[in-house]
Amino acid sequence: MSRATVLACLVSTSVLALTVATASPAQAAGVDYVALGDSYSSGVGAPGQSGTCLRSNYSYAAQWAAKNSPTTFQFLACSGAVTDDVVKTQVPAMSSAADLISITIGGNDAGFASTVLTCLTGSDTTCTAKVNAGKTYVATTLPGKLDSTYAAIKAKAPGAKVVVLSYPNIFDTSAVICEMSSTKRKALNSGAQVLDDMIKSRVAAAGFTFSDVRDNFSGHGVCAAKPYLNGLTIIPPQNSYHPNSSGYTNGYLPALTSAA
C-alpha cells in the first residue's frame, strides 16, 4: 500500500452502526454501562477491530466491561464520529436506564485527521497554520457542539454518571529521530492541549466528570521508547496516531476506572 493511500485513509468518514453489545444474563448485577464516542473509544489502534465502527475488545470500554461485569453493556462508540453523530445516532440508541456513560468526542470536529495529514505532508509552517485554524474552531464553534452533545446525553439518561475522557498528547517531543519534525510535534501537542482544556471546561459546565489521560500517556507518545500510541501505520492505516493496546490498557482504562 502506498504512502498516499495510507494518508488518505486518515481522513475518516462518519459512518455509524447501531450494533449493541449486551452483557450475558449470567453476569453479576451492577451498572448499566454505555460507551459513546469516536475512534478513541471504539478501540481503533488496537487488535480485533470489527464492523463499520471498528470496535475492538481491547478498547478501554470493552476492557472495563470485561473486568467489572456490568448488568448491560452498550458499545455504541464509532470510528469517525463527530458530535452531531453522537446526538443523532448514538444517544437515541442508548438506554435511558444507563448508570454509567463514557465518551471521547470533539477531536474529529476539530479536524484531527486532516490536521495530521497536513502535518505529515506539508512544511512546518503549513502544519502550524493548520493547527492554529483548529484552535480557532475549538475556541469559537466547538463549545456549542459539546454543550449540545452533553445536554442530549443528560436528557436521555438523567440518572447516569457521565465520564468524559480527554485525548492524549500524541507525540514525544524529546525524541531526536521521529517521523515528524520537533516543530510539527510541538504544534500538534499544543493543539491537543487546547482541545482538552476546552472539553474540560464544557464538561464542568454540564456537571459531568472529566477524566484526564494526559499524565497516563506522558513519556509514551509516538516516537517514545515505549509508545502508547501508533505512529504512521501501513496495515491497517486507520491505526495511525491512535492508542495501541498498551495505550488503552495503561492509559485509558485506569482513567475510566478511577472516575467511574
Side-chain angles (χ1 to χ4, degrees), residues 40 60 103-104 162-170 189 192-201 203 208-218 228 247 250-260:
Y40 273 64
Y60 72 84
I103 185 171
T104 56
V162 181
V163 178
V164 182
L165 297 102
S166 74
Y167 296 96
N169 291 324
I170 296 175
N189 283 358
Q193 294 276 28
V194 168
L195 173 61
D196 283 334
D197 289 345
M198 179 56 72
I199 291 171
K200 182 177 181 179
S201 72
V203 169
F208 292 167
T209 299
F210 180 76
S211 190
D212 200 333
V213 304
R214 286 175 285 186
D215 284 347
N216 294 348
F217 278 83
S218 179
Y228 284 179
N250 301 321
Y252 269 100
L253 181 59
L256 175 59
T257 300
S258 64

Side-chain angles (χ1 to χ4, degrees), residues 3-11 112-124 126-128 130-131 170-171 178-181 184-185 188 222-223 230-234 237 240-241:
R3 179 182 175 90
T5 301
V6 173
L7 299 184
C9 288
L10 288 172
V11 184
F112 167 73
S114 62
T115 300
V116 171
L117 179 62
T118 296
C119 290
L120 275 169
T121 59
S123 65
D124 287 355
T126 303
C127 173
T128 301
K130 182 67 172 178
V131 171
I170 296 175
F171 285 96
C178 192
E179 57 205 47
M180 288 197 202
S181 70
K184 291 178 179 179
R185 283 178 274 158
L188 285 165
V222 174
C223 296
N230 300 298
L232 182 64
T233 306
I234 304 299
S240 299
Y241 309 109

Side-chain angles (χ1 to χ4, degrees), residues 39-151:
S39 56
Y40 273 64
S41 288
S42 70
V44 171
Q49 299 163 50
S50 63
T52 57
C53 285
L54 301 177
R55 300 185 183 116
S56 168
N57 287 334
Y58 290 91
S59 68
Y60 72 84
Q63 288 193 62
W64 189 93
K67 288 177 179 293
N68 293 277
S69 298
T71 302
T72 60
F73 172 40
Q74 285 187 290
F75 198 0
L76 302 175
C78 193
S79 177
V82 295
T83 51
D84 285 349
D85 296 319
V86 173
V87 172
K88 296 176 181 178
T89 307
Q90 295 183 21
V91 169
M94 79 179 194
S95 170
S96 59
D99 300 302
L100 175 65
I101 299 169
S102 66
I103 185 171
T104 56
I105 201 67
N108 291 325
D109 293 77
F112 167 73
S114 62
T115 300
V116 171
L117 179 62
T118 296
C119 290
L120 275 169
T121 59
S123 65
D124 287 355
T125 300
T126 303
C127 173
T128 301
K130 182 67 172 178
V131 171
N132 287 338
K135 289 180 179 179
T136 298
Y137 179 91
V138 168
T140 59
T141 305
L142 187 60
K145 294 280 191 180
L146 293 174
D147 289 348
S148 296
T149 302
Y150 300 155

